Each structure stands twice: as C-alpha cells, then as structure tokens.
Amino acid sequence: MSDQPAATPDPLAAPPNRWRILVAVLFGLFAVNVTVTILAVSIHRIAGEFGTAESTMTWVVTGPMLAFGVVGPLVGKLGDRIGMRRIYLWGLAGAAVMSAASALAWSAGALIAFRTLGAIEGAATGPASFAVISRIFPKEERVRALGYWSMVAAGAPVVGVVIGGPLVEAFGWRALFWGQVPLILTAFAFAFRLFPETPKHLTGKFDVAGAALIAVGVTPLLFALNEGPRIGWTAPIVLASLVLGPAALYGFVRVERVAEQPLLPLRYLRVPGFTYAIVTQAVLNGAYMGSFILTPLLLQNVLGYSETKTGLVSIARPLAFALAGPMAARVVHRVGARKAASGGSVAVVVALVAMATLGASSTVLMVMACLALAGIGMGTAMPPLAASVTVSVEEADYGIAGAAQQMMIQVGVVFGITVMQSVQQTRLPAVGLEASYHWGYAAGVVLAAASVLTATRIASTHRSEAALHPETEPLPAL
C-alpha cells in the first residue's frame, strides 16, 4: 500500500510566518552544533586536567562526528514516520541534558560518552530542520532558505573551532557547556511555539535491519580512517574494521532492495541530482574542514600565533561563509545551480592552492584572504547542492534525504581531516615542519578538485527559471 498522501492542499505550503520559523529552526540547529568541535583547540589542556593521553581526548571531537554520521539516517527516517516536530524537540531536549552532563564530567571517558550521546540527540535537528525548510518554502525561495540552513549546519562547528580556544582560556571548558544549556532551552521554547508538524507516513515496517547494518557499516570505516594513521593501518583492529565495514554495507544494500519501507530508497542512487550532490558535499567538506584543522596548527607551530590570535584570524572563514551562503540564491538565479556549485568548488581549490604557499613569512592579511576565499567558495556551493537533493527526492523522503546529506558530510569531514593530517605527518621527517603543511594542503587540493567534477552532474539547468523549477528539465542519465 502506498503511503503517499492524497492530492489535498498542503498545510505547510508557504505559511506566512515561514521566515520566523526559519529563524527559530536555525537557532536550535546552531545551539546544538556549535559545541561539536568547540574543544578541538583545547585537547591538550583537557587531557592534562584528566591525566590522560591527548590521543584519547581526540575522541571528544571525533566521537560526536561519528555519532552525527551514523545516527542521522535513523532519526531522519524516524522523523518521516512520527513527524519532524517531535523529532526536533526531542533532539533539543536530549542535547540540553547531555550538555549539562558534559559540564559535570568527572573523567575523560565520561566526557567522551556525554559528548557522543549529546551528538546522537543533536543529530535529530539536522534532518528535521532540512525537511521542514524544504516543505514550507516555495521553490523560488528555497535556495535562499537552504543557504541559511547550509550556513548554520556547516558553519556552527566551524565557529566552535574558532571561539573554543579563547573561551576556554577565559572561562574554562566546563563553562562552555553550562552556557549551552540555556541556549538550547531557549531554542526549545521558540521551536515549541513555531515549529510546524509534518505529515506522518506510518504504513509499513520500520527498517530495523537496515538501521543496524548502516550503523555497523559506517562506524568501523570511520574508526579506521580516524585511528589508522595513529596506531598503524596493519593493526588488527584497523584491519578488522576495514573488513567489517564494507561487509555490513554490502548487507545493507541487499536488505534495502527487499525492505517494505527502506531506510534509504536505493532508487535515489540512480538519480544524479541526489547522488552527485551528496558526494560533492562530502568531498568538498572533507577538504574544507581538513584545512580548517591544519590551519590553526600551521599558525601556532610555524607562525607562532597564540590560541586567541589564531581564533581571531580564523574568523575570516566562517564570516565569509555566512555572507556568501544567503547570496548563493542570486548566483543560482544568474548561472544555474550546476555552475554555482562548480564555481564554489573551484574557489575552494584556489584557496587551498594559496594555503599551500603559506609559511613563516606570510602576513595576517594573506592568511585571512585564503581563509575568506575558502568560506566564499563553500557558502556559494552548499545551497545549490542542498537544493539539488530536494528536487531529486519525493517530499515524503525529505527527512531521510537531509539525514543522508548529514551522514555523508560527516564521513567526508572525518576522511578529509584524516587524510590531510596523515599526509602532513608523513612528509614531516623528509621536508621539515613548514613544508609538511604544504603537502597536507596539497591533499586537500586533490579532494576539492574531485568535487568540481562531481558538481557538474547535479540537478540544474543553464537558466535561472529552470534552476528554480528543476522539474521542467529532465535529469541527466547516469
């Protein structure tokens, strides 16, 4: 039996208060996501407080990233079944509880566990907000609205990296999470009042087997990517993860082919507008965030910047992203989504090439110009990529589409950070400290260049009217 709703007027179609809903939704998304990476520049300080190794404390950052990637598809599909409002509010409430628990953490293990559990709760806000924005905004406004969504979803963790060091120096890391609690509760109050309910699709069975297999498939691969460079690619646990992950993903595909209500409808993988858009997002975010982690190390280890100065200089990137994201709609109007996404990817490539020339003699202005260009490129590319996904799937699957994006972005981020840091560390003995960063950025150039190629296959036309109404042009065949 089909679970598609009858052809009746959609109560969520362009409500007059849709921009107020957008502000409330994005405030909650920011409140949850800003602390995902906020401790990245303070791992050494926290490790000293708990008397543990820095390598153990890196899981304060990578644990939440893994949770976001694995849990996203599950909560996205669950939201499609029970309603996005309920999922979003549950996510905010759980994130508030885990933030308070993080502030009370008594050991490294407790902090890692609470941060990871908080990310699991917070992961619900991404697919839910994506689905609601995609439904309440008409096509002529959707690219602009998704520009703000992309800015917050990808920008909040970046802002966390920027402000983490100075805030920890001034107030201590526990104060960050105590401060997050009222922030999330405020977001909950606004969302409770304004967040609309979405249609529920309750027919069929929940894909429990698919949910388990995607978790078992993605988690070991991300673990191997994260731990392989540190403990060795031939370590038994890494080799086992590299075998288990693909095997589980193969089982996931087999299960999804026969599932009554699949977690991820595989038919969408045959739609270029969906597949190439999420692949581009993953690869581009990998290069972007990989460089964002390398740059503070370069500034501190080679240029001698303090944590506070590093954070202030790094503001250039999220600020440029924030300005470029909402303006992407105008770019799409003029050149179409394909060219906008491809052009944004090219800008990231150029920025990484420039970063590969930075060294001890580089000025603050040079560094900020490189970072700003990367932010402009990402802010331009992400909205048309997100819009390509929305026009490539059925409305009933907006939640799982948003979750698929979230999962692929997190996989790409972990992959990009790992590859670029691994290349930098591998080249360090041969070429020295400064030149080793050039090699790390060069790996990012390769990733970003790959995103330029995949961006040319997303759903779009060459004219602005068709870009806003993609159904007027048939999707290209694979």
Side-chain angles (χ1 to χ4, degrees):
M1 177 183 295
S2 172
D3 63 348
Q4 295 302 312
T8 56
D10 188 348
L12 296 182
N17 67 336
R18 57 189 177 277
W19 290 104
R20 293 179 63 193
I21 295 173
L22 176 66
V23 172
V25 166
L26 295 186
F27 181 68
L29 191 64
F30 177 85
V32 170
N33 286 2
V34 69
T35 58
V36 170
T37 56
I38 202 167
L39 299 180
V41 296
S42 304
I43 289 175
H44 176 77
R45 185 188 302 268
I46 301 173
E49 177 180 331
F50 285 133
T52 190
E54 291 183 9
S55 58
T56 300
M57 289 310 305
T58 59
W59 282 97
V60 172
V61 177
T62 56
M65 287 183 175
L66 294 176
F68 259 80
V70 171
V71 176
L74 311 186
V75 295
K77 189 63 178 180
L78 185 60
D80 285 334
R81 291 177 60 83
I82 69 173
M84 292 299 173
R85 171 185 167 87
R86 185 177 300 178
I87 283 292
Y88 188 85
L89 293 175
W90 282 357
L92 288 178
V97 172
M98 288 300 109
S99 183
S102 297
L104 296 171
W106 55 89
S107 67
L111 180 60
I112 293 169
F114 292 143
R115 296 303 305 133
T116 302
L117 289 172
I120 291 174
E121 300 285 353
T125 61
S129 59
F130 179 88
V132 167
I133 292 171
S134 298
R135 291 187 64 92
I136 67 175
F137 283 93
K139 291 183 174 68
E140 62 269 18
E141 296 178 347
R142 189 177 297 164
V143 173
R144 181 184 175 193
L146 287 174
Y148 289 110
W149 182 86
S150 297
M151 177 187 71
V152 175
V158 174
V159 172
V161 174
V162 173
I163 66 176
L167 289 179
V168 171
E169 284 184 352
F171 305 106
W173 64 267
R174 295 180 187 272
L176 300 179
F177 299 111
W178 284 125
Q180 188 186 24
V181 173
L183 195 67
I184 296 176
L185 292 179
T186 301
F188 182 94
F190 282 117
F192 186 84
R193 178 181 178 184
L194 294 173
F195 203 102
E197 188 54 274
T198 58
K200 303 177 180 66
H201 306 276
L202 299 175
T203 58
K205 299 178 179 179
F206 186 73
D207 186 13
V208 177
L213 286 169
I214 192 65
V216 175
V218 173
T219 303
L221 289 177
L222 292 179
F223 174 83
L225 287 173
N226 188 70
E227 292 296 294
R230 185 177 68 87
I231 64 178
W233 292 104
T234 58
I237 191 171
V238 172
L239 292 176
S241 297
L242 292 174
V243 172
L244 177 61
L249 291 176
Y250 174 76
F252 171 75
V253 173
R254 294 290 299 271
V255 167
E256 296 303 278
R257 285 177 175 173
V258 298
E260 180 181 347
Q261 292 290 315
L263 187 67
L264 176 61
L266 297 183
R267 66 184 183 278
Y268 291 141
L269 299 182
R270 297 191 293 270
V271 180
F274 177 83
T275 300
Y276 284 108
I278 63 174
V279 169
T280 302
Q281 288 176 319
V283 178
L284 192 59
N285 272 279
Y288 182 77
M289 284 301 294
S291 69
F292 204 94
I293 298 300
L294 273 189
T295 301
L297 298 176
L298 169 71
L299 297 182
Q300 294 175 22
N301 295 333
V302 177
L303 281 76
Y305 288 10
S306 66
E307 285 183 343
T308 299
K309 185 177 180 179
T310 297
L312 292 175
V313 170
S314 299
I315 288 175
R317 186 170 351 206
L319 180 61
F321 189 110
L323 295 174
M327 293 177 62
R330 297 182 181 180
V331 178
V332 173
H333 270 286
R334 287 183 173 272
V335 303
R338 265 195 214 115
K339 291 182 179 179
S342 301
S345 299
V346 169
V348 176
V349 172
V350 174
L352 287 168
V353 170
M355 290 179 197
T357 67
L358 296 176
S361 60
S362 300
T363 65
V364 170
L365 184 60
M366 292 172 58
V367 175
M368 294 184 72
C370 294
L371 298 179
L373 181 58
I376 291 171
M378 283 294 290
T380 303
M382 291 298 285
L385 291 171
S388 175
V389 172
T390 66
V391 300
S392 301
V393 303
E394 299 169 5
E395 287 191 358
D397 292 322
Y398 276 162
I400 193 58
Q405 289 183 98
Q406 183 170 286
M407 179 182 70
M408 289 299 294
I409 287 173
Q410 295 306 320
V411 171
V413 165
V414 174
F415 180 79
I417 291 174
T418 300
V419 168
M420 293 174 68
Q421 284 192 319
S422 179
V423 170
Q424 185 265 325
Q425 289 294 312
T426 300
R427 297 299 298 165
L428 179 60
V431 301
L433 181 62
E434 180 176 320
S436 69
Y437 286 101
H438 300 167
W439 284 89
Y441 286 120
V445 171
V446 175
L447 291 175
S451 74
V452 176
L453 299 177
T454 55
T456 62
R457 299 297 303 277
I458 71 169
S460 182
T461 65
H462 297 91
R463 304 188 55 153
S464 60
E465 179 65 20
L468 292 174
H469 301 276
E471 69 276 7
T472 63
E473 179 187 79
L475 293 172
L478 278 173

